[in-house]
Amino acid sequence: MHFIPCPNRLRPLLLACKDKASIAKTHALMLLTGLFMHGSSNGGLIASYVNIGDIKSARKVFDILSQRGVDAWNAMIIAYSRKEHPGEVLNLYRQMILEGVRPDSSTFTVALKACTRLLDLKIGEEVWCRAMDCGFAFDVFVGSSVLNLYAKCGKMDEAIVVFDRMPRRDLVCWGLCKSWDLKLGLSVHGYLIRKDLPMDVVVQTSLVNMYAKNGHLKLACHVFKNMPCKNVISWGALISGFAQNGFAGNALDLLKLLSLFLEMTKTNLKPDHATFSSLLSAFSHSGLVEEGQYWFNRMVSEYKVHPTEKHYVCMVDLLARAGRVEEACELIDSMNAESGLAVWVALLAGCCKNGKLLIGEMAAKKVLELNRDDLGIYSLVSNYYAKARKWDDVASVRKIMKKIGMKKVPGYSVVEVKGKLHAFLMEDKSHHQYENMMQLLDKLDHEMRAIGYVPKTEFVLHSLDKEGKEKMLCNHSERIAIAFGLLNTGPGTGLLIIKNLRVCGDCHEATKFITKTVNREIVVRDVKRFHHFKNGICSCGDSW
């Protein structure tokens, strides 16, 4: 008797596949039985390849399908969303519309997230209009995504209008609070309290996540402690908050982090892949190699959690930044699935930091091979070549960027003073207080040097003399934003600086000295994490 699987039985079979070999066998079975052409089945096959990080095989399956249902389109769109390719997400979304396939809630949700990532309000509102026309005006997930879009694009009034029209505002809050926008999140939290709307474990967990990811750990801990019921995601949200705010590097806070994790295991809640991602991220941020390796091994052997690309990214980042790039390469080679872009970016960043030029060269070529359409990739590779003093290669990369119409995104920093946001570019002379800011920075420079500050000119990736490099460092956007904040706030007032790129090594060092000189607390939120500076010390422990 031959076993002929039906579509309903194929889904659990695909979910059970954890490596490329088992998926390939199921793929062959689908071809032999004719199920390959079944809409939901090929969507599940694409999703299985995506889940192990093999996006190339997923795309091959997608491209050869003569008929593609919404499941197949969604699987491929979600794949690119997870790989953080918002442009490709929207390309597929447009192609889907042109081919006459009706999008569903998942399609619109992911398309709106892509618009949010690109800060493209025009396209986002077009997607939202189509979603309403298709009957998803009151869908919780679509509604959360459009709220997030408006919040990230600074359209707070429009966001509140959409929120007020939603029939299930408590559930919409769950999606909204996953956003990084603190002001809107606070407004919604206050709205729920004033209207006495129920806040279940999902909503409360989202509040923990929102407060933690906006640097307000005390508020996150307060909400967490008052939760009558906690699940594995709740624990993961708080653990991730400790990691992203850099407090894992401090011995006492690291013990808090580990005690949270251990306490969680005593509640009969089994930690999942997301919990371990948060835990490993904490070690990665803190440079604690042995501890990270210990828990990675326990994750696999004791908790039977199969490592995903996120886990490998954390470990490669941890090893590479510690200078152990050879071990990082060995770990990449041991991966069952094809190593994705994030893994190679982590390796390249570590090589750049530690001057590992040979392996860095290989990593640079690999990231360009994997993604030739991302401006950030070209910038990273250009910076690597500059760090290696390979000025001809820097010129070549910039020539390619110019040829295909890419421009390097300028670094800018934003500081909030008296309820208003003030943005500054590098060497920004347009502000009416520019001269005063430069005088203050010059004064601070002399005071910092007197107590041990030495400019780290290696972070200037341009062929200049020492004096030119030091002048350029003093004109970085975060330094100008700090000067503006100091000039326009009272003594002892804390400052919050938001930067669109990673804070440079010299500015990180200088900010430590500034807090010691002026006796203020300064928080810098860069593209990766929070840095809490106080009394000459940063929460990250100088590992980021």
Side-chain angles (χ1 to χ4, degrees):
M1 182 182 292
H2 295 286
F3 170 65
I4 306 296
C6 67
N8 291 337
R9 290 181 178 176
L10 193 62
R11 180 173 175 78
L13 184 63
L14 285 167
L15 289 173
C17 296
K18 300 298 183 185
D19 54 53
K20 190 169 183 177
S22 58
I23 295 174
K25 289 178 182 177
T26 308
H27 189 172
L29 179 65
M30 291 171 65
L31 290 168
L32 288 170
T33 57
L35 286 176
F36 180 70
M37 299 312 296
H38 192 280
S40 60
S41 299
N42 55 49
L45 178 62
I46 292 169
S48 294
Y49 278 121
V50 170
N51 288 337
I52 64 165
D54 190 357
I55 196 168
K56 286 185 178 179
S57 295
R59 187 61 193 250
K60 284 180 181 177
V61 172
F62 180 81
D63 286 340
I64 63 172
L65 292 172
S66 57
Q67 292 183 331
R68 296 180 286 224
V70 68
D71 289 331
W73 284 98
N74 282 349
M76 206 63 241
I77 286 171
I78 290 169
Y80 283 115
S81 178
R82 288 179 181 173
K83 290 288 184 180
E84 297 184 355
H85 295 325
E88 194 60 40
V89 168
L90 293 178
N91 286 339
L92 282 175
Y93 167 77
R94 294 188 190 98
Q95 188 181 344
M96 180 183 184
I97 299 298
L98 288 172
E99 292 191 17
V101 180
R102 182 183 174 85
D104 63 9
S105 172
S106 296
T107 318
F108 288 122
T109 299
V110 178
L112 285 165
K113 284 180 180 178
C115 294
T116 303
R117 185 169 176 80
L118 295 169
L119 296 180
D120 194 329
L121 184 61
K122 183 176 181 292
I123 300 298
E125 288 186 323
E126 289 176 9
V127 174
W128 173 227
C129 286
R130 184 176 288 274
M132 289 190 288
D133 290 342
C134 290
F136 294 100
F138 302 112
D139 182 88
V140 169
F141 302 104
V142 177
S144 297
S145 297
V146 78
L147 280 169
N148 196 20
L149 172 69
Y150 278 130
K152 290 286 179 64
C153 292
K155 300 292 184 179
M156 306 295 283
D157 292 339
E158 288 86 342
I160 292 295
V161 168
V162 173
F163 180 78
D164 201 43
R165 290 176 179 171
M166 300 303 290
R168 292 295 307 277
R169 296 175 191 137
D170 55 331
L171 291 179
V172 175
C173 174
W174 161 60
L176 175 64
C177 290
K178 290 167 72 177
S179 161
W180 289 83
D181 192 277
L182 180 63
K183 284 187 176 180
L184 186 56
L186 284 166
S187 298
V188 172
H189 192 186
Y191 183 95
L192 293 172
I193 293 171
R194 289 193 304 274
K195 297 291 185 179
D196 197 27
L197 292 172
M199 288 188 279
D200 58 15
V201 64
V202 176
V203 172
Q204 290 174 314
T205 297
S206 298
L207 289 169
V208 171
N209 183 58
M210 179 196 70
Y211 285 129
K213 287 187 174 179
N214 279 283
H216 292 272
L217 269 180
K218 286 184 179 179
L219 284 172
C221 289
H222 175 76
V223 174
F224 182 83
K225 288 176 181 177
N226 287 285
M227 290 175 66
C229 178
K230 304 176 181 73
N231 60 21
V232 66
I233 303 173
S234 312
W235 288 95
L238 193 57
I239 290 172
S240 177
F242 274 98
Q244 290 225 341
N245 282 275
F247 292 115
N250 178 282
L252 179 60
D253 289 308
L254 177 59
L255 287 175
K256 285 182 183 177
L257 179 67
L258 289 177
S259 66
L260 275 176
F261 184 79
L262 294 172
E263 188 180 338
M264 172 190 159
T265 63
K266 293 176 185 176
T267 62
N268 295 322
L269 288 173
K270 187 178 179 182
D272 61 6
H273 66 92
T275 314
F276 277 107
S277 291
S278 299
L279 191 66
L280 294 174
S281 176
F283 295 123
S284 175
H285 284 314
S286 308
L288 298 166
V289 179
E290 282 70 26
E291 289 84 350
Q293 290 178 316
Y294 170 78
W295 282 100
F296 181 83
N297 292 332
R298 279 193 69 179
M299 176 187 78
V300 177
S301 60
E302 184 178 336
Y303 294 96
K304 309 300 180 186
V305 174
H306 183 76
T308 66
E309 187 177 24
K310 283 188 177 180
H311 302 126
Y312 281 113
V313 169
C314 289
M315 292 305 299
V316 169
D317 184 67
L318 177 58
L319 291 166
R321 288 190 178 279
R324 295 160 66 166
V325 295
E326 293 80 9
E327 290 179 60
C329 283
E330 290 175 8
L331 183 62
I332 293 173
D333 290 338
S334 73
M335 291 174 64
N336 291 326
E338 181 182 359
S339 50
L341 178 65
V343 172
W344 290 104
V345 167
L347 180 64
L348 179 57
C351 291
C352 189
K353 179 182 178 182
N354 294 285
K356 300 284 186 175
L357 303 184
L358 188 62
I359 295 177
E361 183 85 20
M362 178 266 292
K365 291 178 180 177
K366 190 69 179 177
V367 296
L368 283 177
E369 175 190 321
L370 289 170
N371 191 351
R372 290 185 173 274
D373 301 320
D374 193 316
L375 172 62
I377 294 301
Y378 282 96
S379 296
L380 176 64
V381 173
S382 174
N383 289 345
Y384 162 73
Y385 284 134
K387 192 76 180 285
R389 301 293 185 264
K390 295 187 174 184
W391 304 114
D392 289 342
D393 289 322
V394 172
S396 296
V397 172
R398 289 179 179 171
K399 187 176 180 180
I400 294 171
M401 291 171 68
K402 187 177 181 180
K403 185 177 180 180
I404 59 180
M406 285 186 175
K407 290 184 178 180
K408 192 173 181 179
V409 177
Y412 64 84
S413 296
V414 178
V415 59
E416 184 173 354
V417 173
K418 298 175 183 177
K420 292 185 178 180
L421 295 176
H422 301 265
F424 300 92
L425 295 169
M426 182 178 175
E427 298 182 332
D428 193 343
K429 299 179 181 180
S430 61
H431 199 278
H432 69 278
Q433 288 186 293
Y434 176 75
E435 292 299 329
N436 292 336
M437 290 187 284
M438 288 301 101
Q439 288 176 14
L440 176 58
L441 287 175
D442 187 58
K443 177 176 175 289
L444 288 172
D445 187 65
H446 283 89
E447 292 174 355
M448 292 190 299
R449 288 174 189 258
I451 58 174
Y453 167 67
V454 178
K456 295 187 173 185
T457 55
E458 65 269 23
F459 288 100
V460 178
L461 304 178
H462 298 275
S463 184
L464 299 171
D465 59 24
K466 184 181 177 182
E467 185 179 348
K469 288 182 177 181
E470 290 183 1
K471 184 178 179 181
M472 184 172 278
L473 287 171
C474 198
N475 278 275
H476 276 189
S477 64
E478 54 264 59
R479 206 89 61 100
I480 298 174
I482 289 172
F484 178 83
L486 293 174
L487 284 171
N488 294 279
T489 56
T493 305
L495 298 178
L496 171 62
I497 311 296
I498 300 172
K499 184 170 183 180
N500 67 324
L501 306 175
R502 291 190 77 157
V503 62
C504 90
D506 179 72
C507 288
H508 186 274
E509 187 72 8
T511 307
K512 291 195 299 182
F513 278 93
I514 290 172
T515 59
K516 198 171 183 179
T517 302
V518 302
N519 194 27
R520 297 230 207 165
E521 184 174 355
I522 299 174
V523 178
V524 177
R525 170 69 173 108
D526 71 9
V527 72
K528 289 291 183 182
R529 61 183 294 173
F530 280 90
H531 297 267
H532 296 254
F533 297 93
K534 188 176 182 179
N535 298 326
I537 299 171
C538 180
S539 61
C540 75
D542 296 338
S543 178
W544 82 99

